[in-house]
Amino acid sequence: MGIWTQFREQANNIWQKFTGWQKATFAAVIVLFFVLVIGVLFAQRPKMEVLYSGLSPDTASAMTTKLKEQKVPYELVDEGKTILVRAEDKYQLRLDMANQVNLKGVVGFESFNQTRFGETDTDKRVRFLVALQGELTRTIEEMDEVETANVHIALPQPSLFIRDEKDATASVLLRLKPYASLDTEKVKSIMSFVSHGVEGLKSGNVTVMDVKGNLLSEDVADASTQETSKISASQLTLKQQYEKDFAQSLQTMLEKTRGAGKAVVRANVAMDFDKVEKYSETYGDAVLRSEQIKEESSQGTSQPVGGNPADANMSGSSYGSVGTTGESEHQLSEQARNYDISKTTETKIVAPGKIMRVSLSVIIDGDLTPAETNKIKEAVAMAAGVDAERGDQISVVGMPFNNEDTAKMEEALAKREGFQRRMELFKLALLPLSILLILGMLFFIVRRFGTTLSNNTRYSAGTHREVAAMTNSSENVEMTLSPEALEKKAMQTQINNLIKKNPEEVAKVVKTWLVEE
């Protein structure tokens, strides 16, 4: 302890003897030395970067085994889920590991690259199901929001009877990335993807959930029901927006004549959102397209007909009479006309949103005479395109408005405007006041420093005179002291010097005296 104290005192004495620039140079050298040492240490240590992260224990074990065989230095962080390697080896190792190690531990259709002898149809069916699950899992993991996925498919055994057949089902477990989420459309796409990838699987039989137990597929409704709900919501939004714009247009017109805030208009519009498709055919007059006329005529002598040819060679009675000859004439006239009938086909689609009925309610601030009421009603009817045959209705009422809230708002607005004006004036005056305050403080500090300096000067001069007087008096006293008194004073001086140089040693001596007493 004594050696350390002496070393510290010597170092302090040396430091006190340094000038300002020497102290600064020494401090800069020390800092530069530490920077160089740290730089050398980090330069010797190779830069490590992530090879793979988020690995399962089996995959990490297989990968570290391959790295040990290749004698590649590596580090494990994140509880063994992340492997770090040197930066210059990272990309080559990724390519090597991709061929040698199944990073995700998922088996796909590559399992059919090897032929297995003695494999039954059941074994092939199970292997196909495992491979199909693996391929679906890999594809789902390609989504930006998904970190890992597991797909399980349940295919029922085929049955000879339809009543005994069961539907195929599937479940998907997702681990999402931090701060990521899946909306309804993406969950629906996962369900559709899995159902189209498995024969006989319906989209409604696919269940999607995350690792926190949230059933993501619960809110995914049937496509038709969901589409119907969207259409209904859009129709309601369209109706509300139309009524708002309709009423605002009429209210703006009335406020131009009655004053701002003196009229209120509300509209109720009944709209038909049915989509109607009309098909009609119209036939016109017949038009002659072609005409064909055919006429035939003939004239000549006819040959005898009848008689028995054997009668000429046989005697006896005759069995037929011989016909007589005569003149013959033939005439034929045919006429064919083809007509075209003009036809008009019309297909008309009536867009949804047809206005069926309009009901308007107008309230005016103050009392209205019948003449004013009729004028306002007529103006509103013309502006709104009211059709009495369609069943449109208009109601105009005059009554005093309650303006207490408006008066309070105007008063509060006036107070706020006054406060803002005062704040603006304060901001304008803040800079000059700050400058004056700073100048006043500087003047006070300079004046105080000057007063203190003059007092210190006077005090120093008086102190020098007192010290000189005391020195002279002490010399005179020493000259008048006896030898014993001089020896005692010399001893006291040595004790004081010893206390100043070695206060700890003196303290130990005093403690020893106190213990002895």
PDB file of all heavy atoms in Angstrom, residues 136 170 190-206:
ATOM      1  N   LEU A 136     -46.371 -29.037 -50.511  1.00  0.00           N
ATOM      2  CA  LEU A 136     -47.281 -27.958 -50.117  1.00  0.00           C
ATOM      3  C   LEU A 136     -46.647 -27.081 -49.040  1.00  0.00           C
ATOM      4  O   LEU A 136     -46.787 -25.848 -49.049  1.00  0.00           O
ATOM      5  CB  LEU A 136     -48.603 -28.540 -49.628  1.00  0.00           C
ATOM      6  CG  LEU A 136     -49.462 -29.259 -50.678  1.00  0.00           C
ATOM      7  CD1 LEU A 136     -50.672 -29.909 -50.025  1.00  0.00           C
ATOM      8  CD2 LEU A 136     -49.908 -28.296 -51.758  1.00  0.00           C
ATOM      9  N   ALA A 170     -57.755 -31.272 -44.496  1.00  0.00           N
ATOM     10  CA  ALA A 170     -56.355 -30.851 -44.367  1.00  0.00           C
ATOM     11  C   ALA A 170     -56.278 -29.758 -43.314  1.00  0.00           C
ATOM     12  O   ALA A 170     -57.234 -28.998 -43.096  1.00  0.00           O
ATOM     13  CB  ALA A 170     -55.800 -30.340 -45.697  1.00  0.00           C
ATOM     14  N   ILE A 190     -54.408 -19.488 -49.303  1.00  0.00           N
ATOM     15  CA  ILE A 190     -53.765 -20.713 -48.799  1.00  0.00           C
ATOM     16  C   ILE A 190     -54.742 -21.882 -48.821  1.00  0.00           C
ATOM     17  O   ILE A 190     -54.404 -23.003 -49.242  1.00  0.00           O
ATOM     18  CB  ILE A 190     -53.213 -20.474 -47.376  1.00  0.00           C
ATOM     19  CG1 ILE A 190     -52.055 -19.470 -47.415  1.00  0.00           C
ATOM     20  CG2 ILE A 190     -52.746 -21.778 -46.752  1.00  0.00           C
ATOM     21  CD1 ILE A 190     -51.525 -19.096 -46.054  1.00  0.00           C
ATOM     22  N   MET A 191     -55.966 -21.634 -48.378  1.00  0.00           N
ATOM     23  CA  MET A 191     -56.980 -22.693 -48.398  1.00  0.00           C
ATOM     24  C   MET A 191     -57.262 -23.161 -49.815  1.00  0.00           C
ATOM     25  O   MET A 191     -57.371 -24.376 -50.074  1.00  0.00           O
ATOM     26  CB  MET A 191     -58.257 -22.173 -47.728  1.00  0.00           C
ATOM     27  CG  MET A 191     -58.095 -21.824 -46.258  1.00  0.00           C
ATOM     28  SD  MET A 191     -59.532 -20.977 -45.575  1.00  0.00           S
ATOM     29  CE  MET A 191     -60.799 -22.206 -45.789  1.00  0.00           C
ATOM     30  N   SER A 192     -57.365 -22.233 -50.750  1.00  0.00           N
ATOM     31  CA  SER A 192     -57.616 -22.608 -52.141  1.00  0.00           C
ATOM     32  C   SER A 192     -56.431 -23.358 -52.734  1.00  0.00           C
ATOM     33  O   SER A 192     -56.602 -24.340 -53.481  1.00  0.00           O
ATOM     34  CB  SER A 192     -57.913 -21.343 -52.965  1.00  0.00           C
ATOM     35  OG  SER A 192     -58.112 -21.656 -54.324  1.00  0.00           O
ATOM     36  N   PHE A 193     -55.219 -22.936 -52.396  1.00  0.00           N
ATOM     37  CA  PHE A 193     -54.021 -23.606 -52.921  1.00  0.00           C
ATOM     38  C   PHE A 193     -53.944 -25.055 -52.438  1.00  0.00           C
ATOM     39  O   PHE A 193     -53.687 -25.978 -53.235  1.00  0.00           O
ATOM     40  CB  PHE A 193     -52.786 -22.832 -52.481  1.00  0.00           C
ATOM     41  CG  PHE A 193     -51.494 -23.549 -52.693  1.00  0.00           C
ATOM     42  CD1 PHE A 193     -50.961 -23.703 -53.962  1.00  0.00           C
ATOM     43  CD2 PHE A 193     -50.806 -24.102 -51.622  1.00  0.00           C
ATOM     44  CE1 PHE A 193     -49.781 -24.387 -54.162  1.00  0.00           C
ATOM     45  CE2 PHE A 193     -49.626 -24.775 -51.811  1.00  0.00           C
ATOM     46  CZ  PHE A 193     -49.107 -24.923 -53.086  1.00  0.00           C
ATOM     47  N   VAL A 194     -54.192 -25.272 -51.148  1.00  0.00           N
ATOM     48  CA  VAL A 194     -54.121 -26.633 -50.606  1.00  0.00           C
ATOM     49  C   VAL A 194     -55.234 -27.498 -51.190  1.00  0.00           C
ATOM     50  O   VAL A 194     -55.018 -28.673 -51.545  1.00  0.00           O
ATOM     51  CB  VAL A 194     -54.187 -26.593 -49.072  1.00  0.00           C
ATOM     52  CG1 VAL A 194     -54.232 -28.008 -48.495  1.00  0.00           C
ATOM     53  CG2 VAL A 194     -52.985 -25.850 -48.500  1.00  0.00           C
ATOM     54  N   SER A 195     -56.445 -26.948 -51.312  1.00  0.00           N
ATOM     55  CA  SER A 195     -57.564 -27.736 -51.827  1.00  0.00           C
ATOM     56  C   SER A 195     -57.352 -28.119 -53.290  1.00  0.00           C
ATOM     57  O   SER A 195     -57.715 -29.231 -53.697  1.00  0.00           O
ATOM     58  CB  SER A 195     -58.864 -26.940 -51.671  1.00  0.00           C
ATOM     59  OG  SER A 195     -58.830 -25.759 -52.453  1.00  0.00           O
ATOM     60  N   HIS A 196     -56.756 -27.240 -54.091  1.00  0.00           N
ATOM     61  CA  HIS A 196     -56.502 -27.575 -55.492  1.00  0.00           C
ATOM     62  C   HIS A 196     -55.297 -28.504 -55.655  1.00  0.00           C
ATOM     63  O   HIS A 196     -55.118 -29.107 -56.717  1.00  0.00           O
ATOM     64  CB  HIS A 196     -56.266 -26.307 -56.316  1.00  0.00           C
ATOM     65  CG  HIS A 196     -57.520 -25.549 -56.605  1.00  0.00           C
ATOM     66  ND1 HIS A 196     -58.110 -24.724 -55.676  1.00  0.00           N
ATOM     67  CD2 HIS A 196     -58.314 -25.512 -57.705  1.00  0.00           C
ATOM     68  CE1 HIS A 196     -59.201 -24.183 -56.205  1.00  0.00           C
ATOM     69  NE2 HIS A 196     -59.350 -24.649 -57.427  1.00  0.00           N
ATOM     70  N   GLY A 197     -54.471 -28.600 -54.633  1.00  0.00           N
ATOM     71  CA  GLY A 197     -53.320 -29.487 -54.712  1.00  0.00           C
ATOM     72  C   GLY A 197     -53.613 -30.908 -54.282  1.00  0.00           C
ATOM     73  O   GLY A 197     -52.792 -31.804 -54.501  1.00  0.00           O
ATOM     74  N   VAL A 198     -54.773 -31.148 -53.672  1.00  0.00           N
ATOM     75  CA  VAL A 198     -55.144 -32.482 -53.198  1.00  0.00           C
ATOM     76  C   VAL A 198     -56.440 -32.885 -53.897  1.00  0.00           C
ATOM     77  O   VAL A 198     -57.425 -32.130 -53.893  1.00  0.00           O
ATOM     78  CB  VAL A 198     -55.328 -32.498 -51.666  1.00  0.00           C
ATOM     79  CG1 VAL A 198     -55.692 -33.893 -51.193  1.00  0.00           C
ATOM     80  CG2 VAL A 198     -54.054 -32.020 -50.982  1.00  0.00           C
ATOM     81  N   GLU A 199     -56.457 -34.040 -54.474  1.00  0.00           N
ATOM     82  CA  GLU A 199     -57.636 -34.509 -55.207  1.00  0.00           C
ATOM     83  C   GLU A 199     -58.784 -34.765 -54.241  1.00  0.00           C
ATOM     84  O   GLU A 199     -58.628 -35.426 -53.207  1.00  0.00           O
ATOM     85  CB  GLU A 199     -57.288 -35.793 -55.974  1.00  0.00           C
ATOM     86  CG  GLU A 199     -58.431 -36.333 -56.813  1.00  0.00           C
ATOM     87  CD  GLU A 199     -58.050 -37.598 -57.540  1.00  0.00           C
ATOM     88  OE1 GLU A 199     -56.907 -38.062 -57.338  1.00  0.00           O
ATOM     89  OE2 GLU A 199     -58.891 -38.119 -58.296  1.00  0.00           O
ATOM     90  N   GLY A 200     -59.956 -34.206 -54.593  1.00  0.00           N
ATOM     91  CA  GLY A 200     -61.150 -34.430 -53.795  1.00  0.00           C
ATOM     92  C   GLY A 200     -61.239 -33.597 -52.539  1.00  0.00           C
ATOM     93  O   GLY A 200     -62.132 -33.830 -51.711  1.00  0.00           O
ATOM     94  N   LEU A 201     -60.347 -32.631 -52.345  1.00  0.00           N
ATOM     95  CA  LEU A 201     -60.359 -31.795 -51.140  1.00  0.00           C
ATOM     96  C   LEU A 201     -61.070 -30.478 -51.444  1.00  0.00           C
ATOM     97  O   LEU A 201     -60.736 -29.786 -52.405  1.00  0.00           O
ATOM     98  CB  LEU A 201     -58.920 -31.522 -50.671  1.00  0.00           C
ATOM     99  CG  LEU A 201     -58.768 -30.629 -49.428  1.00  0.00           C
ATOM    100  CD1 LEU A 201     -59.444 -31.251 -48.225  1.00  0.00           C
ATOM    101  CD2 LEU A 201     -57.291 -30.384 -49.135  1.00  0.00           C
ATOM    102  N   LYS A 202     -62.045 -30.146 -50.634  1.00  0.00           N
ATOM    103  CA  LYS A 202     -62.786 -28.911 -50.773  1.00  0.00           C
ATOM    104  C   LYS A 202     -62.112 -27.805 -49.964  1.00  0.00           C
ATOM    105  O   LYS A 202     -61.484 -28.064 -48.935  1.00  0.00           O
ATOM    106  CB  LYS A 202     -64.228 -29.083 -50.313  1.00  0.00           C
ATOM    107  CG  LYS A 202     -65.005 -30.129 -51.107  1.00  0.00           C
ATOM    108  CD  LYS A 202     -66.409 -30.274 -50.566  1.00  0.00           C
ATOM    109  CE  LYS A 202     -67.196 -31.340 -51.340  1.00  0.00           C
ATOM    110  NZ  LYS A 202     -68.564 -31.510 -50.792  1.00  0.00           N
ATOM    111  N   SER A 203     -62.279 -26.586 -50.453  1.00  0.00           N
ATOM    112  CA  SER A 203     -61.647 -25.460 -49.765  1.00  0.00           C
ATOM    113  C   SER A 203     -62.186 -25.280 -48.359  1.00  0.00           C
ATOM    114  O   SER A 203     -61.461 -24.890 -47.450  1.00  0.00           O
ATOM    115  CB  SER A 203     -61.862 -24.177 -50.584  1.00  0.00           C
ATOM    116  OG  SER A 203     -61.300 -23.065 -49.924  1.00  0.00           O
ATOM    117  N   GLY A 204     -63.474 -25.573 -48.150  1.00  0.00           N
ATOM    118  CA  GLY A 204     -64.051 -25.426 -46.814  1.00  0.00           C
ATOM    119  C   GLY A 204     -63.547 -26.446 -45.819  1.00  0.00           C
ATOM    120  O   GLY A 204     -63.740 -26.277 -44.605  1.00  0.00           O
ATOM    121  N   ASN A 205     -62.909 -27.536 -46.288  1.00  0.00           N
ATOM    122  CA  ASN A 205     -62.377 -28.563 -45.382  1.00  0.00           C
ATOM    123  C   ASN A 205     -60.914 -28.340 -45.030  1.00  0.00           C
ATOM    124  O   ASN A 205     -60.262 -29.239 -44.506  1.00  0.00           O
ATOM    125  CB  ASN A 205     -62.540 -29.942 -46.017  1.00  0.00           C
ATOM    126  CG  ASN A 205     -63.995 -30.354 -46.134  1.00  0.00           C
ATOM    127  OD1 ASN A 205     -64.840 -29.872 -45.394  1.00  0.00           O
ATOM    128  ND2 ASN A 205     -64.293 -31.235 -47.081  1.00  0.00           N
ATOM    129  N   VAL A 206     -60.383 -27.165 -45.329  1.00  0.00           N
ATOM    130  CA  VAL A 206     -58.992 -26.820 -44.993  1.00  0.00           C
ATOM    131  C   VAL A 206     -59.014 -25.866 -43.799  1.00  0.00           C
ATOM    132  O   VAL A 206     -59.684 -24.828 -43.831  1.00  0.00           O
ATOM    133  CB  VAL A 206     -58.270 -26.163 -46.181  1.00  0.00           C
ATOM    134  CG1 VAL A 206     -56.832 -25.815 -45.805  1.00  0.00           C
ATOM    135  CG2 VAL A 206     -58.278 -27.095 -47.380  1.00  0.00           C
TER     136      VAL A 206
END
